[in-house]
Amino acid sequence: HLKTWQRLHQTAYPILFNNADLCGKKVAKTFSFKMISADNFDEDIRKHAIDVGVSERPYIISVPKGSSADIAGVQQKDTIIAIGAWRIPEKDYQREFTAQLEKQAEQKSSLPITVKRGNKEVRIDVPLDNVCDFTLVLQRTDTINAYADGKRLIFSTAIMNLLQDDNELAAVIGHEMAHNTMGHIDKEQANAAVGFVFDLLLAGVGINTHGAISNASRSAYSQEFEAEADYVGLYYMYHANYDIQRAPTVWRRMSISNPGSIKDNRMSSHPPSPERFIALEDTIKEIELKIKNGEAVVPTVGYE
């Protein structure tokens, strides 16, 4: 599970970082590594986590290759023991730790930390990056799925196992991130609210719709949103230096591998595979033409 999380973070970070200019107001200043502590684990596995090296203090589990933290010298398995002059106590430090992180982010362009590496203490100034401000979530489930909720990018362990190629995973990450940046979730909720009004009006005259109009209104433009997310997501993928040529095979592979799972979850709103494949190929040609002509490689939809 930890290795799967590391892969998700290390694949997603270049996309979040390299597309900050395209994320509008949904941008935050942060550091590129990820950390956990023993307190992140349930009591039944907490002791095991400590036995394998996880510290009571923040323990670094992921440093994307080529990221600011990687270049600065942060390494996986480093334990953070200080932020600036503040030494982190072994217990009950979470509130002050968060406050110290926020303070540094507001006042400086880098995060001064001291890490314990073996028997040594190493001081590192980690540059703070502007990134698209979306939280990554990994859900342990056998259902092949990935979705966005406006603030998060959620992936099942099943889809992570299916997408063994990081370029294909990057295509899905870019797609879901585009749902958030293009405001699709907010638009779906607004549409559902309109439908809910009609459900209430019909209920007032004795007709129980069981929320049918609300549900229909929510999904009224779902395929258009999915197509737009495919289009914008390919640009995100390109800017993060992933192979956009691999993207068109992703949705076809998922539909072939487990069509029942896709039918029963959010992915059922995705356009039919042949149409999606052709649209993605057209977008790849559009990107290649912009590169050839020396034009700005940015999506036209939503970025006029």
Side-chain angles (χ1 to χ4, degrees):
H1 189 70
L2 179 58
K3 289 183 178 179
T4 304
W5 162 250
Q6 289 170 333
R7 178 177 171 237
L8 176 60
H9 176 243
Q10 292 171 10
T11 305
Y13 195 81
I15 302 174
L16 297 171
F17 173 71
N18 287 290
N19 290 288
D21 289 344
L22 296 178
C23 283
K25 296 180 179 179
K26 299 177 180 181
V27 174
K29 184 183 292 186
T30 188
F31 42 84
S32 52
F33 61 82
K34 282 294 182 182
M35 56 194 168
I36 57 173
S37 71
D39 287 341
N40 292 116
F41 295 89
D42 294 333
E43 193 61 34
D44 58 338
I45 59 173
R46 185 173 184 274
K47 184 179 182 301
H48 175 69
I50 294 173
D51 289 342
V52 298
V54 176
S55 172
E56 297 277 0
R57 294 189 177 100
Y59 178 81
I60 295 175
I61 60 170
S62 179
V63 185
K65 188 175 295 184
S67 67
S68 298
D70 180 40
I71 294 170
V74 179
Q75 297 179 12
Q76 285 183 193
K77 300 184 179 181
D78 282 347
T79 297
I80 303 177
I81 59 175
I83 299 177
W86 180 66
R87 301 284 293 192
I88 304 173
E90 289 198 3
K91 294 183 179 180
D92 301 324
Y93 61 80
Q94 286 80 5
R95 181 175 296 179
E96 180 62 22
F97 181 73
T98 300
Q100 289 288 334
L101 289 177
E102 292 176 349
K103 178 181 177 181
Q104 294 295 334
E106 290 175 0
Q107 296 180 355
K108 299 185 177 182
S109 60
S110 64
L111 178 70
I113 61 174
T114 301
V115 302
K116 185 176 181 181
R117 186 177 298 160
N119 295 322
K120 297 181 179 179
E121 291 189 7
V122 182
R123 190 183 186 284
I124 307 171
D125 283 329
V126 184
L128 296 174
D129 297 332
N130 287 324
V131 301
C132 299
D133 189 20
F134 304 121
T135 301
L136 296 170
V137 176
L138 180 63
Q139 294 181 337
R140 184 175 295 180
T141 172
D142 293 332
T143 301
I144 296 174
N145 200 11
Y147 63 97
D149 65 4
K151 296 180 179 179
R152 302 180 301 167
L153 306 173
I154 301 98
F155 298 82
S156 70
T157 49
I159 199 171
M160 294 294 295
N161 292 332
L162 176 64
L163 300 174
Q164 293 295 319
D165 182 275
D166 288 349
N167 289 290
E168 294 182 359
L169 174 57
V172 179
I173 293 170
H175 171 95
E176 298 304 337
M177 193 171 91
H179 278 308
N180 284 349
T181 57
M182 305 306 290
H184 292 162
I185 290 78
D186 291 340
K187 292 173 184 176
E188 284 182 349
Q189 292 174 347
N191 291 341
V194 173
F196 182 65
V197 172
F198 285 97
D199 285 328
L200 288 177
L201 290 173
L202 290 173
V205 295
I207 302 174
N208 187 352
T209 64
H210 300 285
I213 299 177
S214 175
N215 291 332
S217 298
R218 180 188 299 275
S219 59
Y221 300 99
S222 60
Q223 289 205 3
E224 287 85 348
F225 290 160
E226 294 300 328
E228 187 173 76
D230 276 352
Y231 173 77
V232 174
L234 260 182
Y235 278 85
Y236 292 161
M237 188 181 177
Y238 164 78
H239 283 292
N241 296 314
Y242 286 107
D243 183 5
I244 59 176
Q245 299 289 343
R246 302 297 297 272
T249 62
V250 172
W251 311 110
R252 183 169 60 184
R253 284 189 60 233
M254 287 194 290
S255 63
I256 293 173
S257 298
N258 200 335
S261 173
I262 294 174
K263 181 179 179 181
D264 294 335
N265 59 38
R266 179 182 168 90
M267 291 186 178
S268 63
S269 63
H270 288 196
S273 293
E275 296 176 17
R276 166 170 267 175
F277 191 86
I278 293 171
L280 285 167
E281 290 286 2
D282 288 343
T283 304
I284 290 173
K285 292 176 183 178
E286 177 182 299
I287 291 173
E288 291 176 337
L289 184 61
K290 288 179 179 179
I291 296 170
K292 181 180 178 181
N293 293 337
E295 300 174 17
V297 186
V298 295
T300 54
V301 175
Y303 291 92
E304 292 85 359

